[in-house]
């Protein structure tokens, strides 16, 4: 069986560097507009010189199969048909994959709402009250927005007190990012910062390799009856949690490391037409954190002073995180 695009081998233990960015751009182009078909994505990918794992050109069907495979987001379907962590890295976020599924449904239903390509999901912005990451969520009227999800029965979630219109927040962040990019010398600083991020990428990959080695060692110790089943389960649970965290950090570090402004002279025009993956990468590179606080009253359609707080990175001194 051929390997899945974006992965080094059939076991999907490691992402393939030269395929990850093309895959993210394909997904971003598919999500930006419901009128963009899988065939359109295939034409774009072929025009850029990208080919499938067996060297063939992309087709409508092959793009569709790729987009429907949860493994590209590090997920799988369990026996109940629910999406769960597959235990291997993913090239895109869970939210992006769920948006692909939403897009699939929307394309087959005339009156369905089109999928929305959220710019700041997956840790791009956080609740200013409880620090919980904001997720994408439509309002009752169907308008895309971000919200702090309240705690569920499992105990996961946040305070549930922050909601904001997606377009309002993204336009505000975009205006500030473009203004930052227009500052003298910023491209040189970005280049230095990306060099530091590339070092982070290598360090994170080494951390993953070390943890996977510890996983194998646990199995060997249990097989030799040197540790109990309880110790095996506890150790594997801790390693799995660490791997999930590091793989998430690696995914975003790779996006930042691979981003390029190219020769974009009109930055406003570039921002308005660039794939979401590219805009997300530069946003992550420039902003360490985006905090969103509650509006002063329900229905407020402006960014009031202090409602959105942007924490800019010190590019020349980027490290860790």
């Amino acid at each position: 069986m051929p390997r899945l695009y974006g992965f080094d081998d059939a076991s999907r233990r490691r992402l393939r560097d030269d395929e990850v960015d093309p895959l993210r751009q394909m997904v971003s182009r598919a999500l930006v507009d419901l009128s963009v078909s899988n065939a359109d994505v295939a034409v774009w990918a072929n025009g850029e010189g990208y080919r499938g794992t067996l060297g063939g050109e992309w087709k409508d069907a092959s793009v569709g199969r790729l987009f429907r495979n949860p493994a590209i987001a590090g997920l799988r379907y369990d026996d109940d048909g629910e999406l769960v962590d597959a235990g291997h890295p993913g090239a895109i976020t869970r939210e992006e994959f769920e948006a692909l599924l939403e897009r699939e449904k929307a394309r087959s239903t005339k009156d369905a709402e089109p999928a929305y390509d959220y710019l700041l999901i997956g840790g791009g912005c956080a609740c200013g009250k409880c620090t919980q990451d904001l997720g994408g969520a439509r309002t009752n009227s169907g308008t895309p927005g971000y919200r702090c999800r309240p705690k569920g029965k499992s105990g996961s979630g946040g305070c549930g007190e922050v909601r904001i219109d997606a377009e309002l927040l993204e336009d505000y962040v975009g205006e500030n990012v473009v203004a930052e990019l227009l500052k003298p010398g910023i491209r040189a600083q970005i280049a230095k910062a990306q060099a530091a991020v590339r070092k982070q990428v290598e360090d994170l990959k080494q951390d993953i390799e070390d943890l996977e080695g510890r996983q194998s060692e646990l199995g060997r110790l249990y097989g030799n009856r040197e540790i109990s089943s309880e110790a095996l389960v506890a150790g594997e649970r801790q390693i799995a949690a660490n791997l999930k965290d590091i793989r998430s950090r690696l995914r975003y570090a790779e996006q930042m490391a691979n981003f390029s402004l190219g020769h974009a002279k009109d930055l406003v025009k570039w921002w308005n037409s660039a794939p979401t993956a590219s805009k997300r990468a530069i946003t992550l590179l420039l902003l360490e954190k985006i905090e969103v606080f509650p509006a002063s009253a329900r229905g407020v359609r402006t960014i009031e002073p202090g409602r959105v707080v942007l924490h800019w990175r010190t590019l020349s001194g980027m490290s860790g995180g």
Side-chain angles (χ1 to χ4, degrees):
M1 185 177 74
R3 63 180 179 80
L4 180 64
Y5 189 79
F7 294 85
D8 258 339
D9 52 39
S11 68
R12 300 168 187 166
R13 305 292 289 182
R14 192 176 296 276
L15 294 172
R16 191 180 184 93
D17 292 340
D18 61 346
E19 293 178 355
V20 168
D21 192 53
L23 172 54
R24 288 172 178 154
Q25 291 194 55
M26 290 165 70
V27 169
S28 184
R29 288 178 179 276
L31 293 179
V32 73
D33 187 344
L34 186 61
S35 66
V36 176
S37 67
N38 290 343
D40 293 330
V41 174
V43 169
W44 173 83
N46 293 330
E48 293 293 312
Y50 302 133
R51 296 294 182 266
T53 56
L54 298 179
E57 290 195 337
W58 288 99
K59 306 290 185 185
D60 184 331
S62 56
V63 170
R65 285 194 299 271
L66 181 68
F67 285 175
R68 290 190 295 271
N69 194 326
I72 62 175
L75 304 170
R76 64 177 178 82
Y77 290 108
D78 64 12
D79 294 338
D80 297 322
E82 298 294 326
L83 282 172
V84 297
D85 186 13
H88 63 70
I92 65 173
T93 66
R94 181 191 185 100
E95 290 85 357
E96 285 170 325
F97 181 71
E98 289 175 341
L100 286 175
L101 296 181
E102 185 183 344
R103 167 182 178 265
E104 188 80 7
K105 292 178 184 177
R107 291 173 64 80
S108 61
T109 307
K110 284 186 178 179
D111 298 327
E113 288 287 348
Y116 185 81
D117 193 9
Y118 289 96
L119 174 66
L120 303 171
I121 53 174
C125 57
C127 174
K129 293 197 68 176
C130 70
T131 73
Q132 175 79 12
D133 288 345
L134 300 187
R138 289 185 180 271
T139 64
N140 293 335
S141 62
T143 304
Y146 292 89
R147 68 173 294 198
C148 175
R149 297 186 184 278
K151 280 187 170 57
K153 293 181 179 179
S154 65
S156 61
C159 65
E161 295 186 27
V162 170
R163 298 188 75 124
I164 189 168
D165 180 84
E167 186 176 356
L168 183 67
L169 176 60
E170 291 173 3
D171 284 351
Y172 178 80
V173 170
E175 289 170 4
N176 281 274
V177 167
V178 170
E180 187 72 11
L181 290 172
L182 289 170
K183 290 181 179 179
I186 193 67
R187 284 178 184 251
Q189 291 185 54
I190 288 174
K192 289 181 180 179
Q194 283 186 298
V197 172
R198 292 187 185 100
K199 176 61 168 62
Q200 290 177 33
V201 167
E202 295 307 312
D203 291 343
L204 290 170
K205 287 181 177 179
Q206 184 59 55
D207 289 343
I208 289 172
E209 189 174 318
D210 293 344
L211 284 169
E212 289 174 343
R214 286 172 56 189
Q215 270 185 326
S216 299
E217 178 64 12
L218 276 175
R220 186 191 68 77
L221 292 173
Y222 179 70
N224 292 340
R225 301 179 182 276
E226 295 180 46
I227 60 173
S228 65
S229 59
E230 291 81 3
L232 174 67
V233 170
E236 287 188 333
R237 184 182 295 118
Q238 182 61 53
I239 290 174
N242 290 341
L243 280 171
K244 184 176 182 179
D245 173 64
I246 293 174
R247 283 168 175 160
S248 176
R249 290 163 55 197
L250 175 62
R251 181 169 61 247
Y252 291 114
E254 286 176 328
Q255 288 186 41
M256 290 187 281
N258 294 333
F259 166 78
S260 174
L261 269 177
H263 299 289
K265 294 181 179 178
D266 187 343
L267 286 168
V268 175
K269 184 178 179 180
W270 174 85
W271 180 269
N272 290 332
S273 61
T276 302
S278 296
K279 293 192 286 189
R280 184 181 298 119
I282 190 63
T283 301
L284 289 168
L285 187 63
L286 293 176
L287 287 163
E288 185 173 5
K289 183 169 60 173
I290 300 171
E291 290 183 300
V292 183
F293 292 86
S296 60
R298 291 176 64 92
V300 172
R301 293 279 305 174
T302 60
I303 300 293
E304 302 169 294
R307 187 180 181 192
V308 177
V309 180
L310 306 179
H311 296 266
W312 298 95
R313 293 185 188 274
T314 303
L315 292 183
S316 59
M318 276 189 71
S319 62

